Amino acid sequence: MICYEYPLSERVRTLLRLEDMFDKVRYFAAQQDSQQHHAALLTLFEILEVASRADLKSDLLQELERQRQSLEALRRNPAISEDRLNEVLAEISRCMSEIHRIPGKLGQHLRDNEWLMSIKQRTSIPGGACEFDLPAYHYWLHQSASRRQAELAEWCNPMLPIYDGLSVVLKLLRESGKPTHHIAYSGAYQQMLAGKSAQMLRINLHRELPCTPEISANKYALNIRFMTLGSGRPRLCDSDVEFELTFFNL
């Protein structure tokens, strides 16, 4: 199956973007090749851009506190495992404590690094990171893999509490829904939401199906169009498409 997740709120949209970028940074930074470390640094700059557009620390702390209070209310519920509840609450408390310890604005240690900011400025220009543009960066890319990995970790690690916190929130969100089976007749599906509250939805499709979902949703209705893949312009699939649909809400 191929999973397609679609955010229904701006906060979840930001968390999904950051999750994807942190996963990429951690993957590329763990590799040995200089071009993979270049990709890690570019993605680190992307995280910095997203983090600068909102008070991410405050928003994440508010969401974690909201989840902590909701889970505390489940104590003495016979349907809830007390041990598992304590584990989740302890993880939330740990994440909140680590986020509180981040000094100043998220990524400020990167903004204070003039060398990194000079690279960030040049990489915003297509082809702007060539060796004749940034000889010092060219030199860095030719250092040992272990040195580059150590410095990437130094730049990335101060922001990892944010990754841990959003991972907890998204894990709780993803555990909140149950999949239901549906059929999109002639590639189109509509569901009236009648005020149903949801923060994210997921579509699971068999990977053999040569189509992808285009999703539009508001508080009144959900519309999904399954578009065929090909070299030309995508068009609506003319056959019925079976899929799983899950709504998530915290």
Side-chain angles (χ1 to χ4, degrees):
M1 303 289 279
I2 299 180
C3 168
Y4 299 88
E5 291 183 335
Y6 187 83
L8 299 173
S9 73
E10 193 58 37
R11 177 172 291 183
V12 173
R13 186 183 302 275
T14 299
L15 294 183
L16 290 174
R17 289 192 196 282
L18 286 167
E19 178 188 49
D20 179 70
M21 289 185 286
F22 271 111
D23 285 344
K24 288 176 180 175
V25 166
R26 298 176 75 190
Y27 171 79
F28 286 123
Q31 309 307 308
Q32 299 288 318
D33 187 74
S34 63
Q35 291 305 311
Q36 291 169 315
H37 290 169
H38 173 67
L41 194 56
L42 292 183
T43 310
L44 200 59
F45 293 152
E46 290 180 358
I47 293 174
L48 195 61
E49 282 296 316
V50 172
S52 68
R53 295 173 190 168
D55 191 353
L56 190 60
K57 283 172 54 178
S58 177
D59 287 349
L60 196 51
L61 285 169
Q62 288 178 11
E63 186 61 41
L64 287 167
E65 175 60 22
R66 191 170 73 87
Q67 295 310 310
R68 189 190 67 77
Q69 293 179 7
S70 297
L71 292 171
E72 283 285 3
L74 296 177
R75 287 196 182 280
R76 293 178 294 279
N77 185 326
I80 301 297
S81 167
E82 193 78 11
D83 290 341
R84 176 59 182 149
L85 180 61
N86 288 333
E87 287 178 12
V88 175
L89 287 170
E91 180 68 7
I92 290 175
S93 296
R94 183 191 68 80
C95 289
M96 293 180 68
S97 177
E98 292 294 326
I99 293 172
H100 274 299
R101 280 200 283 266
I102 297 176
K105 193 173 183 180
L106 181 67
Q108 190 58 47
H109 66 292
L110 299 179
R111 298 183 185 91
D112 292 339
N113 187 317
E114 292 184 9
W115 183 70
L116 284 178
M117 290 302 96
S118 69
I119 298 170
K120 180 177 181 296
Q121 184 178 21
R122 291 299 308 179
T123 54
S124 64
I125 304 169
C130 290
E131 60 190 77
F132 52 82
D133 291 305
L134 295 169
Y137 182 51
H138 185 64
Y139 173 82
W140 182 80
L141 290 173
H142 280 78
Q143 299 307 294
S144 67
S146 59
R147 174 180 170 179
R148 294 195 306 267
Q149 286 175 328
E151 292 187 339
L152 284 168
E154 179 184 338
W155 300 329
C156 184
N157 287 350
M159 297 194 291
L160 288 183
I162 293 294
Y163 176 74
D164 293 340
L166 70 86
S167 295
V168 169
V169 172
L170 290 177
K171 185 175 187 294
L172 291 171
L173 180 62
R174 287 170 173 139
E175 291 176 349
S176 69
K178 293 183 178 180
T180 54
H181 183 265
H182 299 274
I183 299 175
Y185 295 102
S186 298
Y189 175 83
Q190 183 181 70
Q191 179 176 325
M192 304 310 295
L193 298 181
K196 178 191 292 186
S197 177
Q199 293 171 298
M200 185 176 77
L201 62 84
R202 175 191 293 159
I203 294 172
N204 282 329
L205 277 180
H206 286 288
R207 62 176 66 246
E208 293 82 7
L209 291 173
C211 58
T212 58
E214 287 189 355
I215 303 165
S216 62
N218 54 40
K219 61 182 179 181
Y220 303 109
L222 163 68
N223 290 282
I224 306 171
R225 302 169 72 229
F226 290 92
M227 310 301 288
T228 58
L229 304 177
S231 57
R233 183 178 179 180
R235 59 183 179 80
L236 186 65
C237 183
D238 55 10
S239 60
D240 297 345
V241 178
E242 295 188 37
F243 66 99
E244 285 184 348
L245 174 64
T246 311
F247 288 96
F248 302 96
N249 194 41
L250 289 172

